[in-house]
Each structure stands twice: as structure tokens, then as C-alpha cells.
Amino acid sequence: MNHGKRMKIFYITATVMLSVILLFGISEVFSAYKSTENIVIETSVSADTTVILQTETTEKYTTTTKYTETVIEALSEPTTCSVYPERDDNAQRFSNDYKSGYALLMNADTKKVIAYRNANAQMYPASLTKIMSLIVAVENIENLSDTVTITEDMINPMIELDASRAGFLPDETPTLEDLLYGMVLMSGADATLAVAEYVAGSEMAFVQLMNEKAVELGLKSTHFTNAVGLHDNEHYSTATDMALILEYAIQNEICRKIISAYEYKVPPTEKNPEGLTFTSNFFSRMYGDEMPGVTIQGGKTGYTDEAGNCIESFAEIKGETYILVMCKCTDKWSAIYDTLSIYSVYGADGEKYVPSSRRH
């Protein structure tokens, strides 16, 4: 074979080998790119990569609804309440002896559900709403000695709606502390609206804070349309969510003190020369120590035609804190008697409450 033919074969062989090498290299680069792309897609579901997804300029990332929805879910995870109540291994449905449509008994220390009935079904919370109003107010007020001027707009609409009121009069200037006690003990709509306006400028702005707090707490089925608890089809919660709201409230020293109070006195003013005395609607119907081994430490009542009689409370049993929520009770006295009985039977392994006389 002459030299020219050998050189020609050499060049052909070299060309083929180089082509193979180039094709192999391109394939590897492409595979590496695909691998990297997959990693981005797999990790894009975490909140940490939100900026990457939102700033990526390729159509693939900006138009794919799947990834956007996942990121939104990650960003809306609760920041305060990381443990949602779960049923205890021995959790029971409430027997038919107890006359509430929706109910939950929870050990607040262990976050275990002890007994339940329709606990995760949507219902109307009536004035139990004001516990969330109390939380938002306390967390946004720097000085409880600040005063608020009561206006006719805070009173007259509530009179027309026959809502509960604390008894403040137009042009009166109670302190925020006075208002908070009036809001919870008397379930005062006038006090609630005054607090809402002070904190947020209007009731609607205040309600927005309430709904933001509901998201922060990780509540699963709660939405507010007003700060008072007036009926609205879009104003709803569940027994479980209301229990979590109360559980969060009693961790705050000021909230717990107000919810636990039997009575509060407002000093005399020009409008109310004899002052005002707020007696807890809750404790006006019970003492809290009727049942052996049970100390009921505080609570809140509520009522609308649609919600029925509602009641929630917290108690100490065997050194642990229990929370009970009941809504759509048949009447206000069965709500009280069932509260006493449930704490005793399901919490303290005791007997049901037998009323000897009614307190009015």
C-alpha cells in the first residue's frame, strides 16, 4: 500500500473517531442538562425556591400552574400552630345524652381529642367569635390605658340588630381595658366595634386581621366577616378550630385574665355616674367548681338563631388543661349542664352533673 492511500485511510479513520467523540460529548452534555432540569423541577416545590420560579424567564416555568400552586401551598403553611389536634386512641363520640350539634373536648397539653361530635363540620360560632377579636386586639394594642370615644355608629346599629351590648354611651371615653372586659364578659358589640376601630381604623380592616390570624394559626375551616359574631353565611368555623383559638388565647396572660374574670367594674363617668359592672355571662350560670376534680377556669357564651346556644371553656383536671367547645345546643342551661358533665365524665372519670336549681 502506497503512502498516499495510507494517509487517506488515516484521515477517514480519524474523522470517524472524532465524529463519534463529538456525538458522545454532545449526548453527555444534553443528559447533564436534562438531569439538572429535573433537579430544578423536583426542588421547585419547596418554599425556598419561590424566587427562582417567579423570576425564571422561560415559558416553561412561568406558565405551568402545577408549580405555582405548590409554591402557594408552601408559603401558606401555619407559622404559629404546628400541631393540629388528633384523636386520642380512646377518643369517643359524644353520647346522645349531650344535646349539642357540634362539640369537641380536647386535652390542650397533649393536643389530643378526647371526645367529639361533628367536630370538623362547618358551623356558625356566634359570639365565640369575640375570642379571636380579643386575640387580635391584645396583640395590636400597646397601652391598655388608651381611651376610645364611643360613637352612635358603634351603638345604634347594634341596638337595631338586638346584639348584646356592654352599656357604653355616645361620647363616653372608656379605656381599652374597659372595652376588652366589656367585649368578653358582656359579649358587648359596642365594645367590640370600638376596639376594632381603634386597632385597625374600621371593623372590616380589623376582620382582615382576624382572618390573617386564622391562617397563621393553621385553622382549617374558619372565616370571619365581622368582629362581633353576627350571623353571615360566610362567617363560619368548626368546633376544632374554635378550640384552637381558645387554646391560643389562654397562652396570652392578658387574654387569659379577661376570659377567666367573674366581674369587672368600670369607674363612674359623666355618662354613667354609677359606673358599669360587667358580670361574666359565662360564670353567671355556673361557679366552675361544681364537679369533683374539675376546676373550670374561664369561658365564653354566644347565641344567634342560626348558631343556637354556643359555649366554650377551659378547665383544669388532674393537673392538665382541657378545652371544651359546644355549638348548636338546645338551650343555654343544657349547654351549662353538659359542660359540667362532660368535664366530669370524659375528663375526671366522674359522674354526670345533676342540677339542683337554676341560677338566674
Side-chain angles (χ1 to χ4, degrees):
M1 186 179 295
N2 61 36
H3 177 73
K5 183 176 285 190
R6 284 199 301 269
M7 290 300 296
K8 185 176 180 180
I9 293 174
F10 172 79
Y11 285 127
I12 292 173
T13 304
T15 300
V16 171
M17 292 180 65
L18 181 59
S19 298
V20 171
I21 292 171
L22 286 174
L23 287 173
F24 181 80
I26 290 170
S27 176
E28 285 299 299
V29 170
F30 182 75
S31 298
Y33 168 75
K34 291 294 289 182
S35 176
T36 304
E37 182 186 46
N38 289 335
I39 292 172
V40 172
I41 291 172
E42 290 169 1
T43 59
S44 65
V45 298
S46 70
D48 295 336
T49 61
T50 304
V51 175
I52 294 174
L53 286 179
Q54 293 176 343
T55 59
E56 178 61 55
T57 58
T58 63
E59 182 180 354
K60 183 169 188 176
Y61 292 108
T62 57
T63 62
T64 304
T65 305
K66 175 183 176 181
Y67 302 128
T68 302
E69 290 178 345
T70 305
V71 172
I72 290 173
E73 291 176 359
L75 290 176
S76 64
E77 288 181 356
T79 58
T80 303
C81 175
S82 59
V83 179
Y84 205 78
E86 296 181 352
R87 291 177 186 172
D88 184 82
D89 292 339
N90 298 315
Q92 306 175 54
R93 292 181 183 273
F94 282 115
S95 73
N96 292 330
D97 293 340
Y98 305 105
K99 307 301 182 183
S100 59
Y102 311 89
L104 179 87
L105 176 65
M106 177 182 81
N107 183 318
D109 295 334
T110 63
K111 285 288 185 72
K112 292 294 186 180
V113 174
I114 308 302
Y116 58 93
R117 175 184 293 150
N118 298 324
N120 295 317
Q122 281 188 10
M123 53 79 176
Y124 302 123
S127 284
L128 302 189
T129 297
K130 294 186 177 81
I131 299 300
M132 179 63 95
S133 299
L134 175 66
I135 290 170
V136 171
V138 169
E139 292 188 344
N140 287 277
I141 291 174
E142 294 184 1
N143 188 353
L144 291 177
S145 297
D146 284 353
T147 59
V148 180
T149 300
I150 303 298
T151 67
E152 291 185 355
D153 289 341
M154 299 171 184
I155 299 174
N156 293 343
M158 297 300 105
I159 293 175
E160 294 176 4
L161 292 169
D162 196 28
S164 300
R165 300 181 304 281
F168 295 108
L169 299 173
D171 298 324
E172 199 166 5
T173 56
T175 66
L176 286 164
E177 183 176 26
D178 297 337
L179 291 169
L180 292 179
Y181 277 97
M183 178 171 74
V184 175
L185 271 62
M186 301 294 290
S187 206
D190 49 352
T192 306
L193 295 179
V195 168
E197 185 169 312
Y198 174 88
V199 169
S202 70
E203 182 185 11
M204 287 301 96
F206 187 82
V207 170
Q208 182 176 344
L209 296 178
M210 294 169 64
N211 284 321
E212 289 173 359
K213 194 67 183 180
V215 172
E216 181 184 335
L217 292 177
L219 306 185
K220 293 187 176 181
S221 188
T222 293
H223 181 261
F224 302 109
T225 63
N226 63 85
V228 176
L230 297 174
H231 177 70
D232 186 296
N233 287 339
E234 296 303 314
H235 187 101
Y236 54 80
S237 187
T238 67
T240 302
D241 281 3
M242 294 309 296
L244 284 173
I245 292 172
L246 181 57
E247 190 261 342
Y248 180 83
I250 62 177
Q251 294 179 50
N252 180 288
E253 183 178 355
I254 296 173
C255 292
R256 187 184 185 104
K257 180 180 178 182
I258 293 171
I259 297 169
S260 301
Y262 282 75
E263 187 178 87
Y264 179 84
K265 292 184 178 295
V266 179
T269 66
E270 291 184 4
K271 299 291 182 178
N272 280 301
E274 295 182 2
L276 293 170
T277 299
F278 300 147
T279 302
S280 167
N281 289 337
F282 178 82
F283 280 122
S284 68
R285 303 172 192 175
M286 71 165 75
Y287 295 103
D289 60 357
E290 286 88 344
M291 306 308 293
V294 178
T295 302
I296 300 177
Q297 298 179 322
K300 179 81 182 71
T301 60
Y303 174 83
T304 65
D305 290 342
E306 297 81 2
N309 287 275
C310 301
I311 188 169
E312 63 182 6
S313 56
F314 67 103
E316 183 178 342
I317 302 173
K318 301 176 183 178
E320 295 185 309
T321 299
Y322 286 75
I323 287 175
L324 174 62
V325 176
M326 293 190 293
C327 289
K328 203 73 173 178
C329 301
T330 53
D331 63 82
K332 69 178 185 180
W333 288 109
S334 67
I336 294 296
Y337 302 154
D338 285 354
T339 293
L340 296 169
S341 291
I342 287 170
Y343 278 132
S344 176
V345 173
Y346 291 91
D349 300 321
E351 302 296 325
K352 290 183 63 176
Y353 176 72
V354 179
S356 55
S357 62
R358 293 188 173 187
R359 300 175 61 207
H360 296 277

